[in-house]
Amino acid sequence: MSYLRLDELSKSFGETRVLGGVSLEVSEGETLVLLGPSGSGKTTLLRMIAGFETPDAGRIEVAGVEVTSLPPAKRRFGMVFQHYALFPHLSVAENVAFGLESGSAAPEERLARVAEVLELVDLRGFGERRIHQISGGQQQRVALARALAPRPRVLLLDEPLSNLDRALRERTRREIGDTLTRVGITAVWVTHEQDEAFDVGDRVAVLHQGSLEQVGSPEELYLEPATRFVAGFVGRASAIRGGWRDDGRVSIAGSESAWSGVPGRDFEPGTPVELVFRPEALRLVAVGVEGALPVRVLDRRYAGSQTYFTVESSAGDRFEVIALSEAAAPGDERAVLPGSPAPRVFGRDV
Amino acid sequence: MSERRPAASRRVGFGLVLLLSWLVGYPLMLTFLEALGIGSGFTLEYFAEFVGRVDEWGALWRSVWISAASVVLSALIGVPLAFVFERSEFPGRKVLGALVALPVALPPLVGVIAFLFLYGESGFVSRAVQGLLGLSEPPWRLQGPGAILLVHAYSMYVYFYLFVRAGLARLDVSMQEAAAMLGAGPVRTMFKVTLPLLRPALTGAALLAFMTSLASFSAPYIFGGGFRVMTTQIVFSKLNGEVAMSQVETVVLALVALAGLWALVRLDRGRIEVVGGVRGVAPSRTALRGRWARGSATAVGWGLALVLLLPHLTLILISLVPRATWTIELLPPVLDLGNYRELLAAPERLRPIVNSLWMATVATLGAVALGLAAARSSIRSGGRLGAALEVLLAVPWAVPGTVFAIALATAFSVDAPMAGRFVLVGTPWILPLAYLVRSLPVTGRGALAGLRQLDSSLEEAAASLGAGRWRTLRRVTVPLLKPALAAAASLAFITALGDFVTSIVLYTYDTRPISIEILSSLRLQDTGVAAVYGVLLMAVSAGAFLLWGREEKA
């Protein structure tokens, strides 16, 4: 049963269509991540949920009640802003208490709640500090505490980690993720980082050019990308061109081989297609192995736990393969074989 | 937020455009139409008379050249001072740096009478020179264009000083280092790199000085004598009962002011945009080495501060001189608090102070509220509506005070409610209204600048936490705008409190403000009491100025 329901939301700014009919459902207590590149419409979608933008069409429901035209202040949603938007003229505690002031809680209840959420984000004893007296990571946690304090129905997070350096970002996203789980709140989290999306999201919705490409668990998105865009945007993708055969296999361009794959849709025999692999799903083997595609090694990139080899087939397809670091050197002739998971098959323009 | 209730915010925007048009544009338009005789039969007679009269052309020409000369003189004093205080380090630099900006806090009329007491025929300096040289006559007469230019240069160099100092503090040091690496010496670097980069600061200060000079009334009125400029010409025409001629003169001065504004804005349009987002560090100050260099810099600095403070000190001294006790002596023989006691004891003497205080307070509060509302609406509405609000907020700045006074006198001396005209002239409300309108550019621009720097997500954050519009305004927007609003309110209050130029056209005996009382005290040879009023104005203005400084730092 969905708690937050977005139904056919669309939005244009002037002539530019930013969102075209996006529908999504989020269950109670679930964290849904909106993932997409810049300009995909994810922030606009979040701002619509918050009430800062009005959709041209579509509706938003929470717990079965429509909130589409309700002003932000009346939605009882919490939001963590990209640059935190902490009030610089108020102390940490005053910031956290801000959202409690419009409620009916007695002053001592408010104080108790402020202490409780500061404790929750591990900032006990920071209440009297001014905003400029605490670090970026602490500011981030104050922003989270402030949004959680009024017990919102839904928590919205707009790229909440983008202001932190890499090391702090990884630690903080775990902490926030744990906090969200502990509180059990329904959350919508916007990011353009796949690692972040996979780490914090129960499910991830991938947006591209204002449309929803796929919604699913991180595993589904990685192993079973529904579109060519998802395959390329989520994780690394190696593409090899070919043609769809009537036996349901793909003839590989520039070789005699034919490989199996999972088609994204039905294809007519002879349709030009792409086999899209994860780099770890291709094996580098010696030339002459049956069914293997001969390639030349162009480049070798050592990345610690694994080594990426850029290879090129005789048909001119360039892609990446992961292998042991001593498996080949640039200039070597080798071949590749499909491994597991099986590649996805997408149509391609000729 | 921009998308929320667009119709409601547009309605508010339209309402504000109408209100500001009524306050700002309508009186000017009515003045123009009445100068053309619209309503009583179209005529160009008064314009023709203006064109045919040599004294009118003379006044116009004098206004323009005095303003241009004031800009040059102010720049010659202000720019070198800015370099000295921003680029070198010497004992007392910080204190002196603040003192040098002091003339900006002196209401124009107070500055003028302080100059009179100091450099006038019977002023301290003239007496001292006369005594030293054993002359039978005063060494000079503080009259005519020289005297006006002296006062202008004294009060307007501050614009160049403040703007150029701010510009220098922001300057990217790597530009100058690059010039040095490319073989440019200090002089070439100054003229080819530093000054061109300071162009926005220089044109900004020049614009302010030019417009202030063009609108200047106190100095030409007190020192001008037969040397009339447009502002004094307008007031004399009005006082002589030549209403139509004063309206024509008003229209002409308004057009010259707008032409000056247009020319300087065009000049500024060609300015160089600095490429590259990363800004270097401002150049460090050169500490003056050697006892001689430090000693002389300190001495020159304090000497300068003394010269700048002399008008203030003179005013305080004169306020302590009892009536008719100082005749031919170099220094006053008797000093006491008699003038202060006299002023405090007589309710009629206190009246102008009470008048000025309440009128300036009401005008400032009104101007802050209206300025903030218009600025907020301008940013929220954007587009043509936003631009119209911005223009309406800026117009009273470009138009000299005399022009506005005549325009308000024209618009609000007729009872025609359907035409948006009410009789306010002669009531206690016309002066606060005039002060309010004249303060709008300061409060409006202050609010606009503050709002533009405000992160819009702060207001969104408040909304997401359940705060409605009023609570967001009260708890988030206004507290964050406090420094900008306090600065604007201080400036507006100082200007309204010391206003002379609009008051002289619109006051009545019951509403006479301090400036008018100073003038009548001077006419009655009551210099001590005039000085007491001046000291009080100065003290309250300095208090407001300090409040601004404290808010800036907070």
Side-chain angles (χ1 to χ4, degrees), chain B residues 109 217 221 235 238-239 348 351-352 355-356 358-359 401-402 404-406 408-410 412 424-435 496-521 523-524:
Chain B
L109 183 69
F217 177 75
Y221 186 75
V235 172
K238 175 94 176 13
L239 294 178
E348 209 40 36
R351 181 77 170 266
N355 281 345
S356 279
W358 85 257
M359 293 193 296
T402 322
F404 246 105
I406 296 287
L408 290 172
T410 306
F412 297 115
L424 293 178
V425 173
T427 73
W429 296 108
I430 188 72
L431 275 179
L433 186 74
Y435 299 162
L497 195 73
D499 176 88
F500 178 49
V501 52
T502 40
S503 305
I504 198 169
V505 177
L506 298 168
Y507 83 97
T508 63
Y509 181 73
D510 287 337
T511 62
R512 66 193 189 282
I514 298 177
S515 57
I516 299 297
E517 194 66 9
I518 289 178
L519 194 69
S520 40
S521 301
R523 286 207 177 116
L524 297 170

Side-chain angles (χ1 to χ4, degrees), chain A residues 82-98:
Chain A
Q82 190 171 4
H83 301 288
Y84 315 144
L86 294 172
F87 305 129
H89 58 301
L90 304 181
S91 68
V92 167
E94 287 167 335
N95 263 281
V96 176
F98 191 94

Side-chain angles (χ1 to χ4, degrees), chain B residues 435-456:
Chain B
Y435 299 162
L436 184 156
V437 172
R438 292 201 63 215
S439 297
L440 272 179
V442 172
T443 56
R445 289 232 72 87
L448 269 174
L451 283 168
R452 289 205 170 112
Q453 281 173 357
L454 202 68
D455 184 356
S456 63

